[in-house]
Amino acid sequence: MSTSTPKTIRWGILATGLIAQTFTKDLLVDPKTRNVHSVVHTVGAAASSSSKSRAEQFLKDVGAASSAKAYGSYEELVKDPEIDIIYVATPHSHHYQNVMQCLEAGKNVLCEKAFTVNAAQLKILVKKAKEKNLFLMEAVWTRYFPISAYVRDLVTSGRLGKVTRVFADFSMSMDPETSFADNKHRMVNVNLAGGALLDLGIYSITWCFQTLYLTQPKETREPPKVMAAMNHFRTGADEQTTILLNFPRSKEMGGNAHAIATTAIVVSGDPDEKGTAGPGARIQGDKGEVQIGGPICRPTTSRLILQDGTVEEKDWPQPGPGKGSGWTNGFGGGLNSEGEGHGMFWEADEAAMALVEGRKEGKYEDLEESVVIMEVMDEVRRQGGFKYPEKLESTEYPLKLD
């Protein structure tokens, strides 16, 4: 495709919460600011399940074009013939129902992580997407960052030697006893599939998988063996979870690789939020290691340390409209520097380019890997004695959730 004629991808935004706002503001940043020339994004419509007026306000807040339509129901959105792909931004608890609704209506989907509540739900969504020849991808934005591509290349190029061990932590000290005293916040509310694992732990697992699983030949790679320990909040949701993954590998690749993934909402891996406590992830081979500065969901620094004395420190700032633009974005009340994107446009670019190229899944986390990761989280919850309410674990569709 000629770089002078980028393909316009028309997005529908399903739900209007904080993550949807951050994603959509990033989505509307000119892709040329990050050297992407084959696609451009536009918001065709947004839907709120509560009211049309909320969708209208959302579209104003994110700076969507005046032609963007506001809907007061998801059903109206999925039926809109002028939408190419839908971004699903509801809580994890509702992903299965919402994504199925989109697929049934013939819509391509980018779904927020965690993909579903369990692997059984995801397998049905994957089957449905394949039946209907639709694109389906989990919005694990971190996978599509330039820093992630750099780290994977360090692994596959052999610069680290044979990589056999990974440590990854994403933990935030949220003081849940006080902060979530009414038990209703999504982080601890089991009716919204709350807990550290599905919300934060997915990032720890992501760094383990993208360095030890994605980097293996697809035809021979195998799911890891899982050992896990879990502490529970009073609601039953996990407040601290530790996972040991044993990835089977050939002797040529260095033999089995180990990974430790940790997550918590009662303790922080970065107490002063300045990186003083050290890296959020370490990927280690017999020739050296690369360290990822936290938070590992949106890392901005890396440090390569090799046995030969090499030390390479890199900064990975997020692109955007730039200083002087008056434009800001962020998440959860925190704003990035003026003109600096949050980083969610990378996954949008990947989804858009897949549509242009005719691909039906993500390049750096295909549907098979997404299912394996959900199976790992299922096993972690099984070992931790953590089940969600029956309705949330159900594969029945349609099923009305509260």
Side-chain angles (χ1 to χ4, degrees):
M1 169 171 277
S2 168
T3 55
S4 61
T5 55
K7 169 74 173 173
T8 298
I9 302 299
R10 303 168 300 180
W11 287 80
I13 310 299
L14 192 149
T16 56
L18 291 176
I19 195 70
Q21 183 159 330
T22 301
F23 173 86
T24 309
K25 287 187 74 174
D26 258 17
L27 182 74
L28 294 172
V29 171
D30 185 351
K32 290 196 290 293
T33 60
R34 51 190 181 274
N35 202 30
V36 172
H37 301 277
S38 58
V39 293
V40 292
H41 307 280
T42 185
V43 175
S48 167
S49 61
S50 58
S51 69
K52 181 180 178 180
S53 61
R54 184 163 178 175
E56 289 171 340
Q57 187 60 50
F58 172 85
L59 290 169
K60 287 179 185 173
D61 291 343
V62 300
S66 58
S67 58
K69 288 167 277 190
Y71 294 121
S73 73
Y74 299 156
E75 185 177 1
E76 292 173 281
L77 176 65
V78 303
K79 287 180 178 178
D80 188 330
E82 296 183 346
I83 297 298
D84 298 313
I85 184 169
I86 292 178
Y87 169 65
V88 173
T90 48
H92 324 308
S93 49
H94 290 56
H95 286 176
Y96 176 65
Q97 298 294 325
N98 297 150
V99 173
M100 184 64 86
Q101 187 176 15
C102 295
L103 296 175
E104 288 279 20
K107 287 291 188 283
N108 300 296
V109 176
L110 175 65
C111 177
E112 254 314 320
K113 55 84 203 156
F115 223 146
T116 49
V117 171
N118 57 46
Q121 292 177 343
L122 181 54
K123 288 175 183 176
I124 293 171
L125 294 180
V126 170
K127 184 181 178 188
K128 178 62 68 175
K130 289 180 177 177
E131 281 175 4
K132 290 187 165 277
N133 197 30
L134 294 167
F135 173 83
L136 177 63
M137 185 177 109
E138 184 176 19
V140 184
W141 56 319
T142 316
R143 288 252 182 173
Y144 300 93
F145 289 3
I147 186 176
S148 289
Y150 163 76
V151 170
R152 292 191 299 263
D153 183 64
L154 288 176
V155 175
T156 56
S157 68
R159 198 161 180 212
L160 297 176
K162 292 178 178 178
V163 174
T164 60
R165 192 167 68 176
V166 172
F167 297 94
D169 173 69
F170 190 34
S171 301
M172 302 172 73
S173 184
M174 297 183 175
D175 187 17
E177 293 287 344
T178 304
S179 303
F180 313 140
D182 64 2
N183 301 334
K184 292 179 181 178
H185 191 277
R186 67 178 183 84
M187 286 301 303
V188 295
N189 187 343
V190 293
N191 292 310
L192 293 176
L197 177 64
L198 262 61
D199 201 273
L200 306 179
I202 182 73
Y203 291 111
S204 306
I205 294 170
T206 287
W207 279 99
C208 300
F209 263 80
Q210 75 166 337
T211 52
L212 298 179
Y213 189 80
L214 178 61
T215 53
Q216 292 190 54
K218 190 171 180 180
E219 59 274 10
T220 57
R221 67 190 186 188
E222 298 177 42
K225 302 294 187 292
V226 181
M227 292 180 64
M230 182 179 284
N231 292 345
H232 299 267
F233 187 61
R234 59 174 173 259
T235 59
D238 69 304
E239 64 178 19
Q240 179 167 287
T241 297
T242 299
I243 308 161
L244 172 61
L245 301 172
N246 185 9
F247 289 86
R249 288 191 317 186
S250 66
K251 284 185 179 178
E252 292 74 27
M253 291 197 72
N256 291 359
H258 299 168
I260 296 176
T262 55
T263 187
I265 59 171
V266 291
V267 64
S268 175
D270 184 17
D272 63 1
E273 298 184 359
K274 295 177 181 176
T276 310
R282 298 172 71 187
I283 296 91
Q284 301 178 320
D286 59 3
K287 292 182 181 177
E289 72 172 60
V290 60
Q291 301 176 345
I292 311 303
I296 59 171
C297 65
R298 187 182 181 268
T300 54
T301 61
S302 64
R303 191 168 193 239
L304 176 67
I305 307 168
L306 301 180
Q307 282 185 341
D308 64 9
T310 298
V311 177
E312 289 181 10
E313 297 188 0
K314 289 180 178 283
D315 291 322
W316 302 88
Q318 291 291 350
K323 288 183 180 177
S325 62
W327 183 91
T328 55
N329 200 8
F331 179 73
L335 287 178
N336 306 319
S337 299
E338 182 191 12
E340 179 187 336
H342 200 60
M344 302 193 83
F345 31 57
W346 299 112
E347 64 185 1
D349 292 342
E350 164 62 15
M353 286 187 274
L355 295 188
V356 171
E357 296 165 9
R359 289 186 286 114
K360 303 303 175 185
E361 54 192 332
K363 192 180 287 184
Y364 303 118
E365 184 184 335
D366 61 20
L367 293 171
E368 177 269 338
E369 185 175 355
S370 292
V371 168
V372 171
I373 289 172
M374 284 307 311
E375 289 175 333
V376 164
M377 293 199 289
D378 282 356
E379 178 60 18
V380 170
R381 288 197 296 120
R382 188 193 69 79
Q383 292 185 25
F386 179 19
K387 279 189 176 182
Y388 287 109
E390 190 176 340
K391 262 191 172 184
L392 268 59
E393 301 267 10
S394 175
T395 56
E396 183 183 338
Y397 175 84
L399 182 63
K400 185 171 175 55
L401 302 174
D402 297 333

